[in-house]
Amino acid sequence: MKTIGLIGGMSWESTAEYYRLLNEFTRDRLGGLHSARCVLYSLDFAEIEQLQVQGRWADAGEILAAAAQSLEAAGADLVLICTNTMHKLADVVGAAVSIPLLHLADATADAVRASGLRRVGLLGTAFTMEQDFYRGRLEAGGLDVSIPDAEGRALVHQVIYEELCLGIVREESRTAYQKVIKDLIAAGAEGIILGCTEIELLIGSGDSPVPVFPTARLHAEAAVDAALSDAQNDTATTPASR
């Protein structure tokens, strides 16, 4: 099995889920006592969050690129950014290393297309929902992407940063998210992308009348597929091919 490099800590709540999922998928594929070969570089999310708020994306890019280089030096054969929002810097991170970067949006778009759906609603941080780096990648993958209205976006973003990233899961927030999901479905969404890895701590398939696409789970599964593949470049996106 190839070694999976994880840039995590953004937040550690969802990074812990990545670790669990990688090991579960590896066990399910290989059986017995098998677990995933992986290396984790866990960043301080307080530092990264301040750079997000201040719009200092270049500084954040330097931090993530250095983390990726450390993972490569530690023996990683491919790298994952364990957060949707920081895929704003995917090209910077990918260009800093010679190993493939497995893009979360690509893994998600593949799963949506495999389900036969095209029209999806996207939940995530305000950065992910409102900027083009993520939505544009999904749309380039053949999806029709809609987002909540301004009030819904503010609610989804607030719950992520003030609750889920702190490990707080509230039934009131689940109910509020369900309302946002219903509004997206009423506007034509056939499925819902949980486009923030922490949202999976709050929302599952039972919270939506249409399929949900949990991005951390999909990313982890794609990573195990790539790590167990003899043709890594068929499943992982290299900087040169992006």
Side-chain angles (χ1 to χ4, degrees):
M1 183 176 186
K2 300 180 180 71
T3 300
I4 302 167
L6 307 170
I7 304 177
M10 302 170 287
S11 68
W12 71 261
E13 293 284 348
S14 64
T15 303
E17 286 295 295
Y18 265 90
Y19 184 70
R20 179 181 65 81
L21 290 165
L22 288 171
N23 283 293
E24 287 181 354
F25 286 133
T26 302
R27 179 197 61 200
D28 292 346
R29 289 282 297 274
L30 299 180
L33 297 176
H34 285 288
S35 55
R37 293 183 181 272
C38 59
V39 182
L40 169 64
Y41 194 113
S42 188
L43 296 168
D44 180 0
F45 190 38
E47 179 182 3
I48 299 299
E49 189 269 343
Q50 282 300 302
L51 296 177
Q52 292 176 341
V53 171
Q54 296 166 8
R56 295 168 56 191
W57 294 102
D59 291 339
E62 291 179 3
I63 293 171
L64 265 68
Q69 290 168 343
S70 294
L71 291 170
E72 183 174 20
D77 298 299
L78 68 158
V79 62
L80 277 63
I81 304 173
C82 300
T83 158
N84 286 270
T85 297
M86 299 311 288
H87 276 74
K88 181 178 176 71
L89 304 171
D91 287 343
V92 173
V93 175
V97 293
S98 61
I99 57 177
L101 183 147
L102 187 64
H103 200 291
L104 197 159
D106 293 344
T108 301
D110 288 345
V112 175
R113 287 195 305 270
S115 74
L117 304 181
R118 289 293 184 272
R119 301 180 66 185
V120 291
L122 172 64
L123 303 180
T125 67
F127 309 108
T128 299
M129 292 186 288
E130 296 173 359
Q131 298 183 21
D132 188 59
F133 69 91
Y134 195 85
R135 289 173 57 192
R137 186 110 178 180
L138 293 172
E139 289 166 350
L143 305 185
D144 180 356
V145 182
S146 60
I147 59 175
D149 60 19
E151 182 179 356
R153 295 197 302 273
L155 168 77
V156 170
H157 182 90
Q158 180 181 5
V159 169
I160 290 168
Y161 279 89
E162 296 183 9
E163 297 177 22
L164 300 179
C165 286
L166 299 173
I168 299 170
V169 178
R170 300 173 63 243
E171 286 302 319
E172 296 89 341
S173 296
R174 179 177 288 111
T175 300
Y177 266 50
Q178 290 170 337
K179 170 65 165 57
V180 174
I181 289 171
K182 288 178 181 177
D183 290 344
L184 287 169
I185 295 170
E190 302 167 323
I192 303 295
I193 292 175
L194 307 182
C196 173
T197 52
E198 284 81 15
I199 293 178
E200 293 165 54
L201 304 175
L202 180 67
I203 296 296
S205 59
D207 297 302
S208 170
V210 300
V212 298
F213 297 90
T215 54
R217 173 173 288 274
L218 295 171
H219 203 197
E221 186 171 19
V224 170
D225 288 343
L228 293 175
S229 172
D230 291 330
Q232 180 173 308
N233 288 332
D234 289 343
T235 52
T237 305
T238 64
S241 67
R242 280 203 307 278

